[in-house]
Amino acid sequence: MKILIADDSRVMRQIVTRTLRQAGFDGHDLVEAQDGKQAFDLVQSEKPDLVISDWNMPEMTGVECLRQLRANGNDVKFGFVTSECTPEMMQQAEAAGALFFIIKPFTAERFDEVFSPILG
């Protein structure tokens, strides 16, 4: 499977990658995006099976990226790993079609719980 990790922090992308491995999801093809616009473009070109996105990023936020993908008919599995979480954000994510909302800091156990049903 191909997983796109979108976060404007290079360190956070590395932490997500490491946590995926710790949760037993190594061996997947990982692609990185440093903002929402790049994530949107990479979903088109790389055709990932899953997008793990930050919420707040330059150029285009994570939820704007998800909304744009859905508006273009793209139904890639998409969800958020973010430090902020308000009821409004969770509502917006769900309405846009997000499958998950993981709050930082996160653990390998949380990744396993969320991604096992998605990645198998």
Side-chain angles (χ1 to χ4, degrees):
M1 290 189 90
K2 187 179 286 189
I3 302 170
L4 173 63
I5 301 167
D7 198 302
D8 54 319
S9 164
R10 184 180 58 81
V11 170
M12 188 49 64
R13 292 193 307 269
Q14 291 172 333
I15 291 169
V16 169
T17 297
R18 186 179 68 230
T19 307
L20 281 168
R21 286 192 188 113
Q22 290 170 342
F25 302 111
D26 48 357
H28 293 290
D29 186 12
L30 302 180
V31 180
E32 294 185 11
Q34 56 192 8
D35 61 51
K37 175 74 174 91
Q38 187 181 29
F40 178 81
D41 293 342
L42 285 171
V43 167
Q44 312 299 317
S45 63
E46 294 286 333
K47 309 219 180 316
D49 301 290
L50 173 66
V51 177
I52 300 171
S53 178
D54 188 19
W55 187 276
N56 287 311
M57 295 181 288
E59 302 297 325
M60 182 187 284
T61 67
V63 76
E64 288 168 346
C65 177
L66 175 55
R67 287 180 184 140
Q68 193 66 47
L69 287 166
R70 295 299 186 252
N72 286 356
N74 190 311
D75 63 351
V76 65
K77 294 173 183 165
F78 195 111
F80 295 96
V81 173
T82 186
S83 53
E84 297 177 61
C85 179
T86 64
E88 294 80 20
M89 288 170 75
M90 292 193 77
Q91 234 172 5
Q92 287 179 43
E94 192 176 319
L99 292 179
F100 56 88
F101 202 97
I102 298 172
I103 300 156
K104 300 172 189 171
F106 45 79
T107 62
E109 291 76 22
R110 177 72 175 133
F111 270 33
D112 182 46
E113 173 188 310
V114 171
F115 297 127
S116 281
I118 296 169
L119 298 173

